[in-house]
Amino acid sequence: MVMKKKRIAILTGGGDCPGINAVIRAVAKKAINEKGMEVIGIEDGYHGLINNRWRTLRYDDVSGILTLGGTILGTSKTANPYRYAVRKGDRLEFKNLSKIAIKNLKNLDIDCLVCIGGDGTLGIAYRLFKDGVPIVGLPKTIDNDLRGTDITFGFNSAVSIATEGIDRIHTTAESLHRIMIVEVMGHKTGWIALYSGVAGGGDIILIPEIPYDIHSIAEKVIDRNKKGKRFSIVVIAEGAKPKGGDIIIQRIVKESSDPIRLGGIGFVLGEQIEKMTGLETRTVVMGHLLRGGSPTPFDRILATGLGAKAVELIEDKNFGYMVGVKGNSLVTTPLKEIARGPKLIPFNHPLIKTARSLGTCFGD
Ligand code: F6P
């Protein structure tokens, strides 16, 4: 009797990041090479699922993509089968097209849908799972704000780019005796700001989890000046806000289920610092640069391990879980837990404690 080959589909959703192609490669290569499965790639995230856009991924299609940035499948930050935006003239209408998405998957005769994404994508994946779709999730985001894993792939690459930026800013800050503010991504959490801030020797690190007091920042800058350090580096997450104040919204993306896009808090802070201290200040927003380019070796290894583990879950029919890493082990966490909201930096995080003990100011 001929056994039917298992068929899996891979989908990448949300913002791209370095390491997605490495994880696609790991899932597809192991599935094809070791397990004899067939692999399909869904195009442009949940858009492709709703509009039935997909292509077969053969071994050769996923060979040579380990070091490539972005995602060969394309992605989307707006497509949500449960709240799909349809333009009617000037208006947007939201439709629940999840039944169409699920029917398309059934027609493809899929044994499992591998969803590679952050909180938004995996939140939708959880709803699909509850509606009967066999799902395995993989943790992708530069923000590192997913529960169920110590670290997401993309984070290490983003930190490394941000750190290089801070290093470059350091020399001009020191030469011109300026206050330089480096704004990095991180809307709800400040993982990138904290890690790159510490790695780049930032004097002040501002994160959404610790609302700042402008007076304590000005004090720190003036104190450094008095001690002969005539420059300061401030690393700020885009989602940071002053005590009792608000985040800076750059735009609203109506089509998106998470519509707020941030950016610009660094400029507001820069003006305030300059006014209060009389010291010349400049701001640099790193923004989408943090998502670009080739993954670091760390992210390539992480993505490869996570992707290979996902195939074992599929083989064992262990659906409804996300693969993550805790300490030195690969672990699985129910998607339900992942959908509970972002993983914030705890106030007593060891890196915050260490940085404080060295004199770093967190603005509180
Ligand atoms: O969620 C990832 C993220 O990179 C955030 O850090 C940032 O706030 C947001 O995406 C930016 O979104 P967009 O690419 O839509 O501008």
Side-chain angles (χ1 to χ4, degrees):
M1 201 177 77
V2 185
M3 289 271 284
K4 178 192 157 286
K5 272 191 173 186
K6 268 198 182 145
R7 262 189 139 199
I8 64 168
I10 304 176
L11 168 155
T12 58
D16 61 299
C17 76
I20 302 186
N21 286 324
V23 86
I24 294 174
R25 168 184 176 269
V27 173
K29 275 197 167 183
K30 179 164 173 141
I32 296 166
N33 187 49
E34 194 182 86
K35 308 291 181 194
M37 297 176 184
E38 285 176 354
V39 182
I40 278 170
I42 308 282
E43 294 174 353
D44 299 339
Y46 291 114
H47 270 311
L49 201 57
I50 292 157
N51 298 302
N52 206 18
R53 285 196 285 113
W54 56 273
R55 61 181 189 265
T56 302
L57 292 179
R58 298 191 180 82
Y59 194 89
D60 279 353
D61 298 317
V62 293
S63 179
I65 64 168
L66 174 65
T67 61
L68 267 190
T71 158
I72 59 162
L73 293 176
T75 184
S76 160
K77 291 195 79 174
T78 52
N80 176 350
Y82 293 91
R83 194 177 171 274
Y84 194 71
V86 182
R87 199 160 273 286
K88 284 266 161 76
D90 285 348
R91 275 186 320 116
L92 276 185
E93 266 179 23
F94 291 94
K95 296 191 169 164
N96 184 345
L97 301 184
S98 57
K99 288 209 168 86
I100 295 179
I102 293 168
K103 196 165 155 252
N104 286 341
L105 275 175
K106 285 229 165 83
N107 290 343
L108 284 171
D109 200 14
I110 290 300
D111 292 291
C112 177
L113 175 65
V114 179
C115 290
I116 302 170
D119 53 350
T121 305
L122 296 182
I124 295 167
Y126 176 52
R127 290 187 73 175
L128 287 170
F129 173 68
K130 283 197 294 182
D131 285 342
V133 179
I135 302 248
V136 169
L138 283 163
K140 166 245 66 161
T141 166
I142 60 167
D143 295 335
N144 194 36
D145 59 355
L146 276 183
R147 289 167 189 268
T149 188
D150 289 346
I151 192 158
T152 56
F153 62 84
F155 174 63
N156 184 266
S157 303
V159 167
S160 132
I161 300 161
T163 305
E164 191 189 336
I166 297 166
D167 290 350
R168 287 173 188 272
I169 288 297
H170 233 116
T171 50
T172 178
E174 198 161 0
S175 306
L176 281 164
H177 320 295
R178 283 175 171 164
I179 313 305
M180 294 297 295
I181 299 176
V182 182
E183 182 181 308
V184 296
M185 277 191 176
H187 46 166
K188 291 173 192 141
T189 69
W191 293 99
I192 299 176
L194 175 62
Y195 275 66
S196 63
V198 171
D203 307 296
I204 298 161
I205 299 174
L206 304 173
I207 59 176
E209 290 88 340
I210 308 178
Y212 62 81
D213 177 349
I214 184 69
H215 296 98
S216 109
I217 296 169
E219 225 170 79
K220 172 77 181 174
V221 166
I222 291 168
D223 186 50
R224 277 178 54 81
N225 228 46
K226 278 188 192 147
K227 288 178 178 149
K229 291 281 184 188
R230 293 166 61 205
F231 74 98
S232 287
I233 305 288
V234 183
V235 181
I236 184 168
E238 61 182 357
K241 55 173 187 275
K243 278 182 187 161
D246 260 330
I247 45 171
I248 301 293
I249 296 176
Q250 200 190 71
R251 66 167 69 204
I252 304 280
V253 182
K254 285 193 193 130
E255 289 88 343
S256 171
S257 309
D258 194 5
I260 291 176
R261 297 292 182 271
L262 306 180
I265 185 71
F267 292 106
V268 175
L269 182 70
E271 267 183 37
Q272 285 178 319
I273 294 181
E274 200 166 84
K275 239 186 230 154
M276 289 175 81
T277 64
L279 298 167
E280 206 181 358
T281 306
R282 294 283 191 276
T283 297
V284 171
V285 179
M286 293 209 66
H288 298 83
L289 274 177
L290 302 182
R291 287 216 198 117
S294 185
T296 56
F298 180 93
D299 272 339
R300 295 177 199 181
I301 292 165
L302 177 63
T304 302
L306 291 169
K309 176 78 179 172
V311 178
E312 283 167 25
L313 261 70
I314 299 169
E315 177 90 332
D316 298 343
K317 296 199 170 102
N318 242 335
F319 302 125
Y321 291 91
M322 184 196 81
V323 186
V325 56
K326 287 269 159 91
N328 285 326
S329 311
L330 293 175
V331 296
T332 55
T333 305
L335 288 171
K336 186 179 182 179
E337 169 66 15
I338 312 298
R340 270 204 316 120
K343 176 185 71 184
L344 301 178
I345 305 176
F347 195 70
N348 59 353
H349 189 282
L351 201 51
I352 295 184
K353 277 192 178 168
T354 304
R356 280 193 201 279
S357 74
L358 268 60
T360 308
C361 168
F362 282 85
D364 50 345

